[in-house]
Amino acid sequence: MAVKTIWPIDHTCGHDADRDLSDRPAGRRAGFAEWLARQECTDCWRASNEGDEQDKAAWLKAKHAEEQTASEAWSEQYRMPPLEGTERAVPWGCAVVTRS
């Protein structure tokens, strides 16, 4: 008897798909198929999370600006000399100071 590798998945969004689970161990395929059935299909998930990428980018930009301001305030408070280093190292060093 052959081991089942293609599983029919009925997603919570109402879409159906046949999923090849041959990359999973045979004893875990049924459990993974049940988990997939409790999720939205890939297309619906991408559509619902599309705006999150833009929100995340805006949040990161604001967070970096906040960290930069805190770093500059700390440097002034303790009269620290400007950091020297590569283009990538200096911003990282400034961010590390604010997290300490």
Side-chain angles (χ1 to χ4, degrees):
M1 182 166 94
V3 177
K4 185 176 180 179
T5 58
I6 306 294
W7 291 76
I9 309 294
D10 298 324
H11 293 283
T12 58
C13 59
H15 293 117
D16 299 330
D18 289 336
R19 181 80 184 258
D20 181 7
L21 301 181
S22 61
D23 60 335
R24 306 258 173 209
R28 295 180 180 224
R29 291 178 188 159
F32 187 67
E34 288 177 18
W35 179 82
L36 283 172
R38 293 189 304 265
Q39 311 302 316
E40 294 178 327
C41 70
T42 304
D43 293 335
C44 291
W45 181 85
R46 281 188 184 136
S48 67
N49 291 318
E50 192 171 280
D52 289 348
E53 292 294 322
Q54 294 169 352
D55 294 342
K56 183 178 179 182
W59 179 84
L60 279 174
K61 187 175 181 178
K63 183 71 172 169
H64 289 155
E66 178 185 315
E67 287 177 349
Q68 182 66 32
T69 304
S71 174
E72 290 169 0
W74 182 87
S75 295
E76 282 184 32
Q77 179 184 358
Y78 293 105
R79 298 182 186 156
M80 300 301 291
L83 292 177
E84 296 177 5
T86 64
E87 260 182 52
R88 290 180 62 195
V90 172
W92 180 84
C94 292
V96 170
V97 168
T98 60
R99 292 183 194 136
S100 299

